[in-house]
Amino acid sequence: FMVVLLLALENSIIFLPSRALWTTPAKEGVPLDDVWLRTSDGVKLHSWLLHGQRPAGTPARKMLFLHGNAGNIADRLENGILLTRQGLDVLLLEYRGYGLSEGSPTEEGVYRDADAAYDYLLTRPGTSAKNLVLFGRSLGSGPAVDLAARRPCGALVIESPFCSTRALARDIPVYLPFSPFIPDRFRSLEKIKQVKCPILVIHGSADEVIPYSHGKRLFEAAPEPKRFHELTGAHHNDWYQRDPETYFRVWREFLAGSY
């Protein structure tokens, strides 16, 4: 019975969306474009494109920010703003079923959502695949790795990533007995081997949600060039807050080509 129940509740366990946007870039005084996208299967998605802070005339790198499983893009606004201060234009993608986006989230659906966002960014003036950065955090590492394995990009950053849902279940005591029956979603450990751009893996050593070992295994499987950064003592939801100076220095070094 427990196996049947887990399978029936699979999507509601993986995805924890919230509809209400409790803040917006406009409220924070941040310049943005309010972006609406249409996926290949006809779902209408809402996103925010935050404009990077950089010297006039400096070409911007574009970032596609693929967030974790709970809440919505309002919960990632502070993180997005801090990334714009590194000179990046940041598209905070709202998956289907989250915030103002239509539909209900599924694994295949969020892959389609990421493709729609990727296609949109390539229509922006001065944007090409080589200056497009994919950033996936927690659940978002799954669609980020999938996208980077299939389509060209300039860099891939995954933070607090997991190898796959089944591999994660093996490391969570309550799910361990049922892990052989849990569908193997977001199989990043296999897909990361196909990525053909520089890769940065970031993981907190005290992550209580996704074990640190997942980040290390993904890093070991990834092709060169690559870099691993341990957030010493960090849990799942206090990644840049512990040492923001070092955290964003690692970002800048990586994007500048220091692997």
Side-chain angles (χ1 to χ4, degrees):
F1 171 77
M2 188 62 177
V3 172
V4 174
L5 181 62
L6 280 171
L7 292 175
L9 296 175
E10 180 192 358
N11 272 356
S12 62
I13 293 171
I14 296 174
F15 302 103
L16 299 170
S18 172
R19 286 294 189 180
L21 298 176
W22 59 271
T23 189
T24 67
K27 288 181 182 177
E28 303 296 331
V30 176
L32 82 152
D33 294 329
D34 209 36
V35 175
W36 293 91
L37 308 171
R38 185 74 66 175
T39 66
S40 60
D41 58 342
V43 178
K44 189 178 181 182
L45 306 178
H46 174 246
S47 298
W48 292 326
L49 180 63
L50 311 179
H51 298 295
Q53 300 176 23
R54 58 191 176 277
T58 304
R61 299 184 82 166
K62 303 292 193 296
M63 169 184 282
L64 172 53
F65 189 139
L66 299 163
H67 64 73
N69 72 328
N72 55 50
I73 55 176
D75 301 295
R76 281 79 190 184
L77 180 56
E78 179 186 276
N79 196 176
I81 292 170
L82 291 171
L83 287 165
T84 65
R85 294 175 184 168
Q86 316 311 313
L88 296 157
D89 288 350
V90 178
L91 181 69
L92 290 172
L93 172 65
E94 192 94 271
Y95 306 131
R96 61 187 63 202
Y98 286 73
L100 305 181
S101 295
E102 296 177 346
S104 300
T106 63
E107 179 190 16
E108 181 59 35
V110 297
Y111 292 158
R112 290 176 183 267
D113 299 345
D115 272 318
Y118 176 99
D119 290 338
Y120 164 76
L121 285 172
L122 290 185
T123 69
R124 300 289 298 186
T127 305
S128 64
K130 68 181 180 182
N131 64 12
L132 181 58
V133 179
L134 305 182
F135 176 38
R137 183 164 205 287
S138 191
L139 176 79
S141 65
V145 171
D146 176 80
L147 184 58
R150 295 185 291 105
R151 307 187 68 174
C153 58
L156 169 67
V157 182
I158 50 175
E159 189 169 86
S160 303
F162 61 104
C163 296
S164 74
T165 53
R166 186 177 296 165
L168 186 58
R170 294 192 193 107
D171 291 322
I172 299 176
V174 69
Y175 293 128
L176 177 59
F178 311 103
S179 59
F181 308 101
I182 292 175
D184 208 14
R185 309 293 190 197
F186 300 106
R187 294 162 67 173
S188 295
L189 190 62
E190 296 175 13
K191 295 176 182 178
I192 201 166
K193 299 172 186 177
Q194 309 304 317
V195 175
K196 296 179 174 62
C197 68
I199 300 169
L200 172 62
V201 182
I202 304 172
H203 214 120
S205 63
D207 194 320
E208 76 286 9
V209 176
I210 300 176
Y212 177 80
S213 61
H214 282 246
K216 291 297 290 185
R217 288 171 64 193
L218 282 160
F219 175 73
E220 289 162 4
E224 296 282 358
K226 59 185 177 181
R227 178 172 179 174
F228 186 89
H229 180 62
E230 175 185 318
L231 299 169
T232 305
H235 299 85
H236 193 67
N237 290 312
D238 62 354
W239 56 105
Y240 61 81
Q241 295 92 331
R242 282 179 166 263
D243 185 0
E245 183 177 347
T246 300
Y247 177 86
F248 289 109
R249 176 176 54 77
V250 169
W251 269 94
R252 290 190 297 272
E253 290 175 354
F254 174 73
L255 294 175
S258 299
Y259 311 128

